[in-house]
Amino acid sequence: MLDTTTGTPALAGQAGGGAGAAAPSLLDGAILRRATAEAFRKLDPRTLLRNPVIFVTEVVAALVTVLALRDAAIGHAVAFQAGIAAWLWLTVLFATFAEAVAEGRGKARAESLRRARGETMARWVPNPADPAITAPRAAAALGRGDHVLVEAGELIPSDGEVVQGIASVNEAAITGESAPVIREAGGDRSAVTGGTLVVSDRILVRITAEPGATFLDRMIAMVEGAARQKTPNEIALDILLAGMTIVFLIAVATLVGFASWNGAPPSVTVLAALLVTLIPTTIGGLLSAIGIAGMDRLVRFNVLATSGRAVEAAGDVDVLLLDKTGTITLGNRQAAAFVPAAGVPEGELAEAAVLASLADETPEGRSILAFARDRHGLAAPAMLPAGAVAVPFTAQTRISGMDLPGRGAYRKGAVDALAAALGQAVPADLAAAVERIARAGGTPLAVARDGRLLGAIELKDIVKPGMRERFAALRRMGIRTVMVTGDNRLTAAAIAAEAGVDDFLAEAKPQDKLDYIRRAQADGRLVAMAGDGTNDAPALAQADVGLAMQTGTQAAREAGNMVDLDSDPTKLIEVVGIGKGLLITRGALTTFSIANDVAKYFAILPAIFVAQYPGLAALNVMRLTSPESAILSAVIFNALIIVALVPLALRGVGYAPVGAAALLRRNLLVYGLGGIAAPFLGIKLIDLLLTLSGIA
Amino acid sequence: MTLVGWAQIALVLGAVLALAVPAGRWLAALATGRLGPLARLDAAILRAAGVDAAQGQDWRGYLLAMLACNAAGFALLYAILRLQGVLPLNPQGFDGVPPWLALNTAVSFVTNTNWQAYSGEAAMSHLSQMAGLAVQNFLSAATGIALAFAVSRAFAGGGLRALGNFWADATRVTLWLLLPVSLVAALAFVAMGVPQTLAASAEATTLEGARQAIALGPVAFQLAIKHLGTNGGGFFGVNSLHPYEGPSALATALQIVLQAVIPFALCLAFGRLVGDRRPGRALLAVMVGFVLAGTLAVYAAEAAGNPLHLAAGLDPALGNMEGKDVRFGQALAALFTATTTGASCGAVNAMFDSFTPLGGLVPLFLIQLGEVLPGGVGSGLYGMLVFALLSVFVAGLMVGRTPEYLGKKVQAREIKLAMLAVLVLPATILGLAAVSMVLPMATASIPGAGPHGLTEMLYAYSSAAGNNGSAFGGLAADTPWLDGTLALAMMLGRFAFVVPVLAIAGSLAAKPRMPEGPGTLPAHGPLFAGLLAGVILILGGLQFLPSLALGPVAEHVVMRAGQTF
């Protein structure tokens, strides 16, 4: 009944990017072939109207073509005109090609996602109170509020919430990670995604998405670029480019009037060449490719953004709100020290701690064994000694341990609880040590053998390795990091100091997070945060960048404007870097494009007027062969530079967290001065080739 | 070029910069209304005029007040010019000014351009000079400075609605800056030999025994505000070359100081108003850099002389002295030229028409770059801020953030308005000049053929649209076509520019001002100054290169080939 033959393992390989699957290469043959075809389709002027610079180029190319045809019809020599016309068309084509290549990678991934969507038939449950009665219904016909039953081996037909049962689900189709995850009713792990595969048990799911608006649909639309809208900075840049195009239109059109005063005005072909080389075709042609590639970088990083605006906002972020547990620190506390009571050798305490923890399967318990092994060389026995009786932890006693016949009764637990259970007071020296541990942000556990307190284990939040350095890098970028934790202020302050964050929010309730974000925004700051729980949803929605975890609740995933398919909140930091890279790429190529104009003037202006004023040859600093070769070389350079920069536009300009002033200096040097110098070399080289090949 | 020449340039420019520091402090005080001992008198005057300085206007209110004030000024000046024949203080008995010329002149003085299609001593009565033209010299300068205050305030804080009160700003600038400084400067000019009299003329007997009437008038006071307010309209037709308007090298040096000091000082005032002196210094550094470069270029071109003259046996030590006066010399003529065209003043102490082609290119290009180097009083600063916004927009993206200037985000709305403002100059200058080069009715004003004629026409529209007012010379400017279209160019250059600029100010004022940090683009320092200079050259200058290639550059290369026009 269910289509489970979509070949999930293969899919995982294709869909997964962040999980290590290779992204399609830039020069993947199939993508290039398809992009070439697509580039021709994009020549439709109605599509090009979105891009004023390239639209003007196309109009000019058409005009020159018509004039060349007319001149050819009356028998004039049109080699030069035809050459210019051809290269003007190529300029337009290279621009549409750049966009098509950028879209190509997304399209390839969208196709593999579509296969996951398939044409699923679901088991519709008309009455959720009686899930035994089901009827087949197409996934596409399921609406919000419908209930379906999904069993092992079946695809979940649409986004929803588990209302009954527990199951392990393979979400590789979405995340690329093939290890199954647990989905259960209630709590923060109740959200399921359409197109994922239930691999064990059965669950009753209430559908939460309208058909066509599921997570998978959104994902397809995003990677395909169909839902792509221009981002705020892109719009502003478009206006700048359109304005420059108008300025140069005026400059070139009025040249007709000025030139006719002194003699004959230059031909339309020459003016067309001058116009197209002056208007910012390079950035105009690459602008949308840069935006699409930016989204694509994020997708390959396994983060989905609901809009390009969110990616851009990531680059602007001033404040990062990071949860302590799982983001800044390892998820669980770990043993960091044994503090023996007076007169107890540390080895004895360590041995007691190991024996008390033998049956403790919690991460804390295992960390005690690991710590004793690393620090004291105490290996835990591979098997429990015969007759051992484990004393399990309960919320009432807050004590656990192990009774070993012939060796003793080992206990560990919260200090006050254990002391109370033993009926003794905590010795003064131990009490002081416990106090110190608590103040430093740790958790003390007392250890006892046969009713005697031996000392304490210090459990500590362990800051993930490398976090301190990353926060320092963020600080250099001008971004403040704020740690959010439910711990008390004392504990929070200690961990904040160790991790090197700029600020912390202790004893934080969801409302506190929301208030903090609103306050920062009122000061004009942009805030990013990650979250997964339903109670995170308001803050995720309020934040300028809200990164929801794929494993999180449906509410959280809908509130955020990005979803991390790997569910790793630390990635927020990299997302900021990707956002910045996108903006830098745009700025760098704009600067390069505008700086190019200087050399083009030196190529074309003397060429246009040298016949009238031979002395203007002095301006031909590149010593180009002839006026025709000079103009043609400039036009050819102008077209080829678009193709040459496609890899850079797709890859993005590298971002290093070195502070704004240093970044500006480096990028101005490379793209500003480089933009002035490059065309001098390029045009000269093309002119040489034209001359050598006898074309000019 | 001589060492003495360079010493003169260094001395005068040094005096300008030294005076700009206290002037900047005082301008900031005027903008914030912290007038010290003058505060009570100031309050009384404003109260008597019914102005509440605390009553701020949003950008539309400020704009409307400014436009209303300027419209009234235009009507008054136009009426005086047309009626001067029947009005008093007309010892020469001039007729009323003809309609086209009156229109052109009234627009010219209201827009701080002071383009003159007439010769003052042959067309204007003393009343027209004093109550008509001089009044607008004060008013147009006060308008420009008030607008600069309004725009500066937009950067001073976050979430602002009001940009200040136009009436209070204009009144304070006039009363507490322009009037007192003009009075002092006028007395200094009188001491140097500039006349200040209501007499019509002095009778003189020439060496040949002929009798000559030498025109006189209330020159000194008008001369002072002509430079201080970067107006530039001369009492006499030949402006500061006239012995009564530029009697000595010292007088010309004082004129240079007066015409450059407020535009420079406004940058420093801007720094004070926004609470960070560094960005103001960066703007100032760019302005000074361009003025120095322009001075150097003119000085080099003119001191080298005209190769054709040299071939004919002229003394090469003097350089090209055609159209210049020996009492000023090459160095002061070069500095005067760079400051008067850079600063949108438009007074001249040498005739550009007689410069070498490349020497003449410099004042033309300085005007075309947008009159921001340092630009007119007020208009230079707000024009410069438009370029600063465009600079941070392009470069700001390169540091990976939505661009911001002084903590204000520069977004689509600001860029749209900035591009509208930037479009005004090329559209007006190139559009009107190109049409004029093909219209027989316009080309009839050009005395000769060749690229020199093109330069003259291009200069006229550049000067008008840039609100500079200097004339290249040669052109017969008092024709209905030129009077009308140049008036149009002057209005577009002033008001079509300032509307989007005030709108930007309104939009930026409302935005929160974000604290600057290591992640934000520094709007100061050599790097930013270099960037700003590059953007001014590329966005402000490149579009004029084709026309310049056909004008002065072509003239230069044909002159080297031995052909003149």
Side-chain angles (χ1 to χ4, degrees):
Chain A
M1 176 161 57
L2 284 182
D3 173 19
T4 56
T5 59
T6 42
T8 311
L11 242 177
Q14 282 178 338
S25 136
L26 204 70
L27 296 175
D28 182 303
I31 288 183
L32 283 189
R33 268 194 303 282
R34 202 160 44 173
T36 311
E38 190 62 25
F40 279 97
R41 260 196 296 283
K42 283 174 184 283
L43 288 181
D44 184 336
R46 285 164 302 183
T47 335
L48 272 188
L49 211 48
R50 254 170 70 94
N51 187 340
V53 184
I54 301 303
F55 178 75
V56 167
T57 311
E58 185 175 46
V59 170
V60 168
L63 180 67
V64 175
T65 309
V66 170
L67 291 179
L69 289 176
R70 186 201 62 184
D71 286 359
I74 56 175
H76 287 193
V78 292
F80 174 67
Q81 271 172 302
I84 297 283
W87 280 100
L88 291 183
W89 280 113
L90 281 175
T91 310
V92 182
L93 203 58
F94 289 160
T96 56
F97 175 74
E99 191 181 80
V101 170
E103 286 171 350
R105 293 197 285 193
K107 283 220 168 81
R109 175 149 188 194
E111 263 160 39
S112 69
L113 287 173
R114 260 202 202 93
R115 268 179 268 139
R117 192 167 56 182
E119 276 151 29
T120 314
M121 286 302 284
R123 277 195 279 173
W124 177 53
V125 179
N127 176 12
D130 186 8
I133 300 169
T134 63
R137 180 177 272 202
L142 290 171
R144 192 188 288 259
D146 282 337
H147 287 74
V148 291
L149 194 68
V150 193
E151 280 189 358
E154 296 174 350
L155 280 179
I156 297 170
S158 181
D159 292 358
E161 193 128 15
V162 181
V163 291
Q164 198 180 317
I166 176 170
S168 53
V169 179
N170 181 337
E171 296 190 336
I174 303 288
T175 65
E177 170 60 56
S178 51
V181 291
I182 299 295
R183 293 288 179 233
E184 60 188 326
D188 286 350
R189 291 164 160 268
S190 61
V192 288
T193 310
T196 56
L197 183 70
V198 174
V199 289
S200 79
D201 306 286
R202 56 191 276 168
I203 43 177
L204 182 64
V205 175
R206 180 165 48 79
I207 303 299
T208 53
E210 293 298 342
T214 66
F215 187 71
L216 200 58
D217 290 315
R218 262 162 60 200
M219 196 165 161
I220 291 169
M222 284 315 303
V223 297
E224 226 175 13
R228 209 179 92 80
Q229 286 180 322
K230 287 185 179 174
T231 60
N233 276 315
E234 212 175 345
I235 292 170
L237 198 49
D238 255 339
I239 293 170
L240 180 85
L241 300 181
M244 291 186 64
T245 305
I246 296 172
V247 167
F248 285 119
L249 260 174
I250 293 172
V252 172
T254 54
L255 199 52
V256 178
F258 297 135
S260 55
W261 166 252
N262 286 344
S267 73
V268 173
T269 309
V270 169
L271 289 176
L274 179 63
L275 175 66
V276 170
T277 49
L278 290 184
I279 61 177
T281 46
T282 313
I283 180 65
L286 295 173
L287 194 54
S288 68
I290 295 169
I292 297 167
M295 297 286 288
D296 188 52
R297 268 198 296 287
L298 210 54
V299 169
R300 276 182 291 137
F301 191 58
N302 250 7
V303 173
L304 278 190
T306 53
S307 70
R309 182 186 283 262
V311 188
E312 214 168 62
D316 276 343
V317 157
D318 304 284
V319 180
L320 276 186
L321 235 52
L322 298 170
D323 278 327
K324 184 202 74 178
T325 308
T327 308
I328 294 175
T329 62
L330 296 170
N332 304 289
R333 301 182 159 220
Q334 301 201 350
F338 294 126
V339 185
V344 180
E346 192 175 330
E348 191 183 339
L349 170 64
E351 190 186 3
V354 168
L355 293 173
S357 308
L358 274 183
D360 188 348
E361 288 299 322
T362 64
E364 286 85 355
R366 280 189 301 238
S367 83
I368 294 172
L369 299 187
F371 182 74
R373 183 185 63 229
D374 295 345
R375 192 61 66 85
H376 296 277
L378 288 174
M383 295 189 42
L384 285 181
V389 179
V391 180
F393 177 89
T394 68
Q396 283 76 38
T397 61
R398 295 195 287 151
I399 295 168
S400 65
M402 178 83 72
D403 287 334
L404 291 174
R407 291 187 70 177
Y410 296 88
R411 296 288 183 276
K412 75 170 199 292
V415 180
D416 52 340
L418 190 56
L422 299 176
Q424 338 180 327
V426 181
D429 62 311
L430 191 58
V434 162
E435 166 72 18
R436 182 188 55 73
I437 291 171
R439 199 163 333 114
T443 305
L445 284 183
V447 179
R449 187 186 63 205
D450 296 335
R452 178 179 165 222
L453 281 172
L454 298 177
I457 307 169
E458 179 178 4
L459 290 181
K460 251 176 82 173
D461 263 322
I462 305 292
V463 174
K464 287 187 185 170
M467 290 312 279
R468 223 189 143 77
E469 291 71 30
R470 294 174 85 178
F471 294 144
L474 286 170
R475 204 167 303 120
R476 282 198 298 278
M477 291 151 62
I479 298 174
R480 285 166 57 81
T481 43
V482 180
M483 182 183 86
V484 182
T485 173
D487 293 344
N488 63 49
R489 285 193 60 80
L490 221 57
T491 312
I495 300 168
E498 193 185 338
V501 294
D502 296 297
D503 196 2
F504 63 88
L505 212 56
E507 291 164 8
K509 295 176 286 297
Q511 184 63 33
D512 298 333
K513 256 194 223 184
L514 191 59
D515 291 344
Y516 190 95
I517 294 173
R518 289 207 173 119
R519 266 201 312 280
Q521 286 172 335
D523 292 342
R525 293 190 164 87
L526 266 67
V527 185
M529 68 165 282
D532 56 1
T534 299
N535 53 19
D536 281 334
L540 277 173
Q542 179 72 34
D544 302 279
V545 176
L547 180 65
M549 301 296 108
Q550 158 68 14
T551 54
T553 59
Q554 191 66 22
R557 291 199 320 201
E558 277 174 13
N561 50 13
M562 288 189 193
V563 178
D564 178 21
L565 303 176
D566 298 334
S567 303
D568 171 8
T570 337
K571 279 166 71 177
L572 201 49
I573 298 173
E574 279 80 11
V575 168
V576 170
I578 289 177
K580 285 194 179 297
L582 172 66
L583 294 177
I584 291 175
T585 308
R586 261 189 218 140
L589 291 181
T590 306
T591 308
F592 186 84
S593 184
I594 296 174
N596 271 197
D597 277 0
V598 178
K600 293 173 192 165
Y601 267 120
F602 278 101
I604 296 191
L605 276 188
I608 297 180
F609 300 118
V610 76
Q612 196 175 355
Y613 300 111
L616 282 179
L619 288 183
N620 180 10
V621 293
M622 286 173 264
R623 298 279 157 247
L624 305 175
T625 310
S626 69
E628 283 78 18
S629 80
I631 294 170
L632 195 57
S633 301
V635 172
I636 293 175
F637 174 84
N638 195 55
L640 289 182
I641 193 72
I642 297 179
V643 182
L645 289 175
V646 166
L648 183 63
L650 296 190
R651 197 177 61 235
V653 172
Y655 169 75
V658 290
L663 261 184
L664 180 64
R665 189 173 311 118
R666 191 190 69 184
N667 287 335
L668 262 186
L669 197 71
V670 176
Y671 300 99
L673 294 186
I676 291 177
F680 278 105
L681 298 174
I683 292 174
K684 177 69 185 168
L685 194 67
I686 294 169
D687 182 71
L688 273 178
L689 290 175
L690 288 179
T691 309
L692 286 177
S693 62
I695 293 173
Chain B
M1 291 192 281
T2 63
L3 198 61
V4 173
W6 281 113
Q8 287 174 341
I9 291 171
L11 200 66
V12 177
L13 209 52
V16 174
L17 292 174
L19 282 172
V21 175
R25 199 177 307 141
W26 182 236
L27 279 162
L30 289 174
T32 48
R34 297 201 188 96
L35 299 175
L38 294 172
R40 298 180 62 159
L41 182 57
D42 176 73
I45 292 172
L46 289 181
R47 201 166 39 244
V51 173
D52 180 3
Q55 185 69 45
Q57 296 160 320
D58 66 4
W59 75 268
R60 285 189 187 83
Y62 205 95
L63 176 71
L64 287 178
M66 185 276 286
L67 289 176
C69 178
N70 280 250
F74 169 82
L76 176 71
L77 178 54
Y78 185 80
I80 292 176
L81 293 178
R82 296 285 291 131
L83 298 175
Q84 70 172 6
V86 297
L87 291 172
L89 287 177
N90 185 8
Q92 305 97 321
F94 292 130
D95 286 335
V97 179
W100 281 109
L101 182 58
L103 167 82
N104 180 281
T105 306
V107 169
S108 171
F109 277 73
V110 165
T111 55
N112 198 258
T113 312
N114 297 29
W115 170 265
Q116 294 168 296
Y118 62 90
S119 249
E121 66 271 35
M124 295 293 161
S125 74
H126 288 350
L127 184 81
S128 294
Q129 295 275 20
M130 292 193 300
L133 304 178
V135 166
Q136 294 309 318
N137 278 353
F138 279 97
L139 205 57
S140 64
T143 297
I145 298 173
L147 288 169
F149 285 175
V151 174
S152 300
R153 288 183 187 118
F155 296 93
L160 306 172
R161 258 181 62 79
L163 294 178
N165 183 304
F166 173 76
W167 307 110
D169 286 342
T171 308
R172 283 171 174 161
V173 168
T174 310
L175 284 183
W176 311 127
L177 179 70
L178 299 177
L179 264 176
V181 176
S182 294
L183 277 173
V184 174
L187 289 177
F189 283 128
V190 168
M192 293 173 196
V194 176
Q196 176 74 20
T197 172
L198 289 179
S201 57
E203 292 288 318
T205 310
T206 65
L207 288 175
E208 293 88 22
R211 298 180 63 75
Q212 186 186 356
I214 302 172
L216 290 175
V219 184
F221 191 59
Q222 187 155 340
L223 179 59
I225 186 63
K226 167 188 125 187
H227 290 277
L228 184 66
T230 63
N231 298 286
F235 191 93
F236 298 106
V238 294
N239 214 296
S240 290
L241 259 176
H242 193 288
Y244 283 165
E245 212 168 324
S248 62
L250 188 62
T252 234
L254 178 58
Q255 289 168 8
I256 295 172
V257 170
L258 287 176
Q259 72 197 10
V261 68
I262 293 182
F264 282 150
L266 273 167
C267 292
L268 300 177
F270 174 74
R272 288 175 180 275
L273 288 176
V274 301
D276 183 355
R277 312 254 185 102
R278 295 170 303 173
R281 289 192 201 122
L283 301 182
L284 179 64
V286 174
M287 291 178 176
V288 173
F290 272 96
V291 164
L292 268 178
T295 307
L296 168 70
V298 174
Y299 194 16
E302 296 304 303
N306 183 330
L308 302 181
H309 291 172
L310 301 183
L314 244 65
D315 178 7
L318 282 174
N320 174 30
M321 281 305 287
E322 183 189 323
K324 298 193 190 69
D325 201 307
V326 284
R327 65 184 188 273
F328 307 140
Q330 293 286 7
L332 285 183
L335 182 60
F336 195 111
T337 299
T339 48
T340 195
T341 51
S344 171
C345 177
V348 292
N349 76 348
M351 284 298 152
F352 301 160
D353 207 21
S354 303
F355 276 18
T356 60
L358 293 186
L361 182 148
V362 175
L364 176 56
F365 194 49
L366 277 175
I367 295 174
Q368 290 175 333
L369 282 178
E371 283 300 16
V372 295
L373 308 161
V377 288
S379 60
L381 176 64
Y382 60 69
M384 195 67 159
L385 288 172
V386 170
F387 278 118
L389 292 180
L390 290 173
S391 303
V392 296
F393 180 72
V394 174
L397 285 174
M398 277 198 293
V399 305
R401 283 173 67 92
T402 292
E404 55 207 9
Y405 184 63
L406 303 182
K408 300 278 188 169
K409 275 200 167 26
V410 183
Q411 288 161 312
R413 180 174 163 76
E414 288 76 35
I415 292 299
K416 183 160 60 185
L417 292 165
M419 284 316 283
L420 270 180
V422 164
L423 267 173
V424 169
L425 275 194
T428 309
I429 296 174
L430 295 175
L432 289 175
V435 171
S436 295
M437 293 314 289
V438 292
L439 269 189
M441 126 173 104
T443 51
S445 291
I446 302 176
H452 193 73
L454 171 60
T455 309
E456 288 172 350
M457 188 66 86
L458 203 55
Y459 195 96
Y461 285 103
S462 302
S463 176
N467 295 144
N468 182 279
S470 62
F472 203 69
L475 208 61
D478 185 17
T479 68
W481 168 260
L482 283 179
D483 276 340
T485 53
L486 287 170
L488 176 66
M490 291 187 269
M491 288 207 282
L492 289 173
R494 181 75 159 186
F495 300 114
F497 189 83
V498 96
V499 172
V501 169
L502 268 185
I504 293 176
S507 159
L508 286 179
K511 295 187 181 188
R513 183 169 177 193
M514 276 166 301
E516 287 164 68
T520 49
L521 180 85
H524 53 80
L527 191 64
F528 179 77
L531 168 73
L532 181 56
V535 167
I536 290 171
L537 278 176
I538 289 182
L539 282 184
L542 276 190
Q543 59 266 36
F544 296 106
L545 284 192
S547 54
L548 292 177
L550 278 178
V553 177
E555 189 186 349
H556 174 76
V557 298
V558 297
M559 177 189 78
R560 291 173 65 92
Q563 191 188 357
T564 55
F565 298 95

